[in-house]
Amino acid sequence: DVVMTQTPVSMSVSLGGQVSISCRSSQSLVHNNGNTYLSWYIQKPSQSPQLLIYKVSNRFSGISDRFSGSGSGTDFTLKISRVEPDDLGVYYCGQGTQYPFTFGSGTKLEIK
Amino acid sequence: EVQLVESGGGLVQPGRSLKLSCLASGFTFSNYGMNWIRQAPGKGLEWVASISSSSSYIYYADTVKGRFTISRDNAKNTLYLQMTSLRSEDTALYYCATTLGASYFDYWGQGVMVTVSS
């Protein structure tokens, strides 16, 4: 199984600041078809997870351009700029390149 | 607007069975893959099972293989998860989620709680 390792486990940021969350996979996430199925989700308090980014760097419908994804192979990063109060929650990376699909353990973002 | 509404959860004794349902609307259900993902209390996300649009392809996590069965009724726009031989470690909030794109989870339901306890 592909193990997804997220760092940091938690972080605190001031409003208007910028954060980066790292996600590393134990194997390359490049699919045989050439796509890399790395996605990012946010789970806000008491809510269901929501898709933010898919295939490394594509923002999902309605997602602010303050969120950006990058990376390749086994190393990926989610950046959030101009942090707003509504950004607080737990962020998960996930891989869909091979079954079983797996998620990172999450990064909790708190607002200072 | 895509909507996913799970139902069927509850308190069940170890070893017993339970069947979850997920009623979908707002998209052409029969065209897309669907998934179940769970979250134990205070824990992270765990993918459980996936099913393709026509039910031709089905995949399970090792933790539920042989005990859980994912299925769908495209005429009823409904996804199911039949859970048997339930264990305490199956206690979780179960989400259904769409795969409208490919290999990621576009939309999630609100979740349904399953508690396995004597």
Side-chain angles (χ1 to χ4, degrees):
Chain A
D1 298 2
V2 179
V3 176
M4 306 296 288
T5 303
Q6 272 183 252
T7 54
V9 173
S10 65
M11 59 195 314
S12 183
V13 62
S14 299
L15 293 176
Q18 178 173 295
V19 301
S20 291
I21 299 171
S22 173
C23 177
R24 289 186 171 178
S25 58
S26 60
Q27 305 172 32
S28 172
L29 297 187
V30 179
H31 192 275
N32 290 340
N33 64 14
N35 288 313
T36 300
Y37 295 108
L38 185 283
S39 49
W40 289 96
Y41 306 85
I42 178 177
Q43 186 171 31
K44 299 178 182 179
S46 301
Q47 293 188 22
S48 303
Q50 304 169 227
L51 177 64
L52 291 171
I53 301 285
Y54 63 94
K55 288 197 291 184
V56 181
S57 60
N58 296 275
R59 277 185 297 274
F60 189 53
S61 173
I63 299 303
S64 167
D65 61 4
R66 297 185 300 103
F67 294 87
S68 63
S70 63
S72 63
T74 61
D75 288 346
F76 305 93
T77 302
L78 175 70
K79 289 186 179 178
I80 312 169
S81 61
R82 306 185 304 280
V83 169
E84 299 179 356
D86 192 49
D87 297 338
L88 76 89
V90 180
Y91 290 79
Y92 295 95
C93 62
Q95 69 82 19
T97 293
Q98 66 178 74
Y99 287 101
F101 292 164
T102 49
F103 295 94
S105 53
T107 295
K108 186 174 184 178
L109 180 64
E110 297 173 319
I111 309 297
K112 286 181 184 175
Chain B
E1 178 192 6
V2 173
Q3 286 198 319
L4 302 169
V5 180
E6 300 97 335
S7 61
L11 174 63
V12 61
Q13 293 179 328
R16 303 299 290 263
S17 300
L18 202 61
K19 187 172 186 177
L20 305 182
S21 300
C22 171
L23 178 62
S25 61
F27 65 105
T28 306
F29 181 76
S30 59
N31 285 354
Y32 298 101
M34 294 292 295
N35 314 271
W36 288 100
I37 297 151
R38 68 184 180 183
Q39 186 171 35
K43 302 297 184 181
L45 302 172
E46 180 189 14
W47 169 80
V48 173
S50 296
I51 186 169
S52 63
S53 58
S54 61
S55 304
S56 298
Y57 300 97
I58 290 175
Y59 304 91
Y60 297 100
D62 284 346
T63 51
V64 307
K65 197 174 296 182
R67 299 187 300 121
F68 290 12
T69 302
I70 188 172
S71 63
R72 62 191 297 161
D73 185 334
N74 286 344
K76 295 182 178 179
N77 286 357
T78 302
L79 174 73
Y80 302 101
L81 186 68
Q82 176 70 55
M83 303 184 293
T84 64
S85 303
L86 282 161
R87 306 166 179 168
S88 58
E89 53 265 37
D90 296 318
T91 294
L93 188 59
Y94 285 74
Y95 297 102
C96 69
T98 62
T99 303
L100 304 186
S103 294
Y104 46 88
F105 310 112
D106 322 83
Y107 296 94
W108 300 59
Q110 84 287 353
V112 61
M113 189 67 201
V114 173
T115 303
V116 184
S117 175
S118 54

